[in-house]
Amino acid sequence: MRKSAKEYLVILILFQAMGMQAQDHQVTLEGNVQVVNSELAGIHVQNISTKRATITDGYGFFALAVRLSDTVVFSSVQLKNKEIIITQAILESKQLIVPLEEADNELEEVVVMPYNLSGDLSKDARGLKLSAVSSSTLGLPNTHVVKMTYNERKLLEADRGTMIKVLPLGFAINTHKILNRISGRTKMLKERIVREEKNNMVAQLMAYYPDSIITKNLKIPDLQLHEFVYFCETDENFDALLKSEDQLLVWEFLERKSIVFLKTE
């Protein structure tokens, strides 16, 4: 009996150690910050649980080491701070979409009256000649060309290169393109583009309905909001539904998914 008790104690200690190790396990979380009409570069992303931090690139992407239950804070001078608790669902997906809102930075009133303006709006407006100016009205070339994303440009660069003629064989090969495919860089960039498209879909959903609308009307807890969004994303009809841009159908979809989501919690 004494031996069995010792064996049981050893097993219990091992299981506790394994549990502690699982909690301490870190993963690199890749994410994308979404902001309307604001600079995406240089937004601070800080894991205040581990005291580690990073900043977003020009397209809002970031990567940060996190663990279960860590607290990550997103902050910038021009944006409202946002705090996210790392859940198991976020750890498993290893990716995160973070919509941020612009801060209401009120400035002191400044009176500027250039060009001999009197300060009387009704009087000065009659004397101003304004016209809409855009790249299309100016007749600039490539006005209607869709701008490529950062990852799309990188993928294009990965498949480019100088053709090198192989004299004994009598044909040319693109060594740059071949090396990128062998190393897995091309595949990695393609996966990033697919994930970026998914991220844009999620951002579109969050643009339709702010956090408060979803949490209040669908009874989704604040700390489970991102988990719920990713739960919706796994539905096979998610992409087609958002592409339809029918907000009524999207809301009905969210209502159905919220019922299932809350039952599984």
Side-chain angles (χ1 to χ4, degrees), residues 43 100 144 189 215 220:
I43 297 173
L100 297 180
H144 304 291
L189 289 170
T215 55
I220 303 296

Side-chain angles (χ1 to χ4, degrees), residues 45-67:
V45 184
Q46 182 181 13
N47 185 337
I48 61 176
S49 301
T50 61
K51 309 301 181 184
R52 293 185 178 181
T54 185
I55 60 173
T56 57
D57 65 14
Y59 297 88
F61 287 96
F62 67 90
L64 183 66
V66 297
R67 300 170 303 187

Side-chain angles (χ1 to χ4, degrees), residues 49 65 91 110 130 141 159-160 199-200 209 232 241 249:
S49 301
L91 282 179
V110 178
L130 304 176
D159 269 351
R160 282 180 172 174
N199 291 349
N200 291 337
Y209 312 106
C232 294
L241 191 62
L249 288 178

